[in-house]
């Protein structure tokens, strides 16, 4: 059970309409036994009064770098906090934090802390989708800041769209999760004993000895899955076309073509509990690659192509009992619709779908933003965050489903 009990949590509140929801977050944290110190920005007090937090929290509200009893309140707060939570986080607050600007007590505390930080953005859709905000969120996510939300829904002024603060209960649960991961032995070793196969990178289908048909996959998302799975105690095999730093405990099988990936993955998957097909496998290959380099002087070659094996579909068709199969969907339009077709068509338990044309997501970026479709019909949006955090969110689902399946089987 994840708990915030006895944890010292700095609750940062910045000035947006959702600031009133921070009152409920404060109350929920208090109910769960946390020690809550509210830090409000000046503009937050335009939306919600300090007296409310004074009455609810463990300590009185702090607002100023200079007027408090403590001569250096930001370092004291930053050094002693188990977690700094900012909810709601406005575009201004996110921008200042990403740029390292510490102009008030909350931003100074954020810069002064080494504790895990959870940022919950809330703003109008136009602001959330502004390139500056997108870049700032990507910077924070890359630095390991945990981004929770926002969700889509009703916004101030009656508008609808992305930018609504995540529900207080979800935010408190996220803080609990982050704290349990941050503890010395806190990382849940919830994949201990599991064997995981991850594929990574784009395959290369030779045209001649120097040229190939390839794609833009960097392998970063696959390696992030491998890191996260090793971190959680799994035995991991990476079947990859690219060489990247990897956890020393993982086994790496290097392949080039779809054919090689198919046979290496089929072999490794036989005994695997979880298979994650993060690789971008080419769909077509030259029927008859030239044995020598094609020469320009011989004119433009007519390259006849044939389909490659669909690795995920054949794994889905021969999936051993109890194995969890995770596929990906790289899309440029109708992400949910195309991903749903792949989910059923390929026999996967989950499809992790992303719009590869989106800003700061997909190929080569360090961040990603995905929609996870489960075979039971659930859809989980995972907002923009580091590829490691995306892996974490997907593996959370996989582990939770495997655990509840095991519990059900035990009861039968
Ligand atoms: N995949 C695979 N073998 C292939 C092609 C794809 O195993 N020959 C897997 C990918 O690793 C991914 C999933 O299938 O997990 C979906 O890949 P994607 O490229 O998005 O879709 P395709 O099946 O290739 O379909 P399309 O390119 O038409 O969207």
């Amino acid at each position: 059970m994840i708990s915030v009990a006895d944890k010292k949590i700095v609750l940062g509140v910045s000035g947006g309409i959702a600031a009133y929801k921070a009152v409920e977050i404060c109350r929920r944290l208090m109910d769960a036994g946390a020690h809550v110190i509210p830090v409000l920005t000046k503009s937050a007090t335009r939306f919600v009064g300090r007296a409310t937090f004074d009455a609810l929290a463990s300590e009185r509200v702090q607002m100023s770098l200079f007027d408090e009893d403590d001569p250096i309140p930001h370092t004291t707060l930053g050094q002693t906090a188990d977690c700094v939570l900012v909810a709601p986080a406005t575009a201004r607050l996110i921008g200042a934090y990403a740029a390292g600007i510490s102009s008030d007590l909350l931003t100074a505390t954020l810069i002064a802390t080494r504790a895990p930080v959870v940022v919950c953005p809330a703003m109008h859709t136009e602001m959330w989708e502004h390139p500056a905000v997108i870049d700032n969120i990507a910077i924070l996510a890359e630095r390991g800041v945990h981004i929770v939300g926002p969700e889509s829904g009703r916004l101030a002024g009656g508008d609808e769209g992305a930018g609504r603060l995540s529900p207080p209960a979800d935010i408190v649960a996220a803080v609990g999760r982050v704290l349990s991961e941050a503890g010395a032995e806190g990382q849940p070793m919830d994949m201990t004993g599991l064997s995981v196969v991850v594929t990574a990178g784009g395959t290369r289908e030779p045209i001649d000895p120097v040229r190939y048909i390839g794609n833009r996959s960097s392998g970063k998302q696959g390696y992030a899955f491998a890191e996260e799975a090793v971190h959680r105690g799994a035995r991991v095999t990476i079947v990859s076309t690219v060489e990247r730093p990897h956890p020393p405990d993982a086994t790496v099988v290097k392949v080039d073509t779809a054919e090689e990936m198919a046979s290496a993955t089929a072999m490794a998957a036989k005994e695997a509990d979880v298979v994650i097909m993060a690789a971008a496998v080419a769909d077509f290959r030259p029927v008859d690659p030239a044995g020598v380099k094609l020469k320009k002087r011989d004119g433009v070659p007519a390259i006849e192509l044939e389909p490659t094996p669909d690795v995920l579909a054949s794994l889905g068709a021969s999936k051993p009992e109890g194995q969890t199969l995770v596929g990906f969907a790289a899309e440029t339009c109708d992400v949910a619709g195309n991903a749903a077709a792949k989910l059923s068509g390929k026999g996967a338990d989950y499809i992790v779908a992303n719009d590869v044309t989106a800003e700061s997501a997909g190929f080569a970026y360090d961040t990603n933003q995905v929609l996870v479709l489960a075979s039971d019909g659930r859809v989980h949006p995972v907002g923009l965050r580091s590829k490691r955090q995306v892996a974490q969110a997907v593996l959370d689902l996989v582990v939770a489903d495997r655990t509840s399946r095991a519990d059900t089987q035990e009861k039968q």
Side-chain angles (χ1 to χ4, degrees), residues 277 279 281-283 308-312 327-331 342 346:
M277 273 301 302
V281 187
D283 292 323
T308 55
D310 192 314
V311 187
L312 179 61
F328 275 68
E331 305 297 345
K342 284 176 189 169
K346 300 200 186 209

Side-chain angles (χ1 to χ4, degrees), residues 25 53 59 119 155 196 198 223 246 333:
I25 295 168
F53 289 99
E59 295 189 22
V119 164
L155 303 170
V196 175
V198 185
Y223 277 74
H246 61 84
C333 61

Side-chain angles (χ1 to χ4, degrees), residues 65-125:
L65 275 163
F66 306 107
D67 302 336
E68 317 290 340
D69 298 337
D70 185 338
I72 42 169
H74 59 298
T75 45
T76 307
L77 286 168
Q79 284 165 358
T80 59
D82 291 306
C83 177
V84 180
L85 163 67
V86 187
T90 58
R92 186 194 66 80
L93 187 286
I94 289 165
Y97 184 24
I101 295 169
S102 51
S103 52
D104 58 14
L105 181 59
L106 179 53
T107 44
T109 303
L110 285 166
I111 309 292
T113 196
R114 290 189 180 162
V117 175
V118 178
V119 164
C120 309
M123 63 198 75
H124 250 72
T125 311

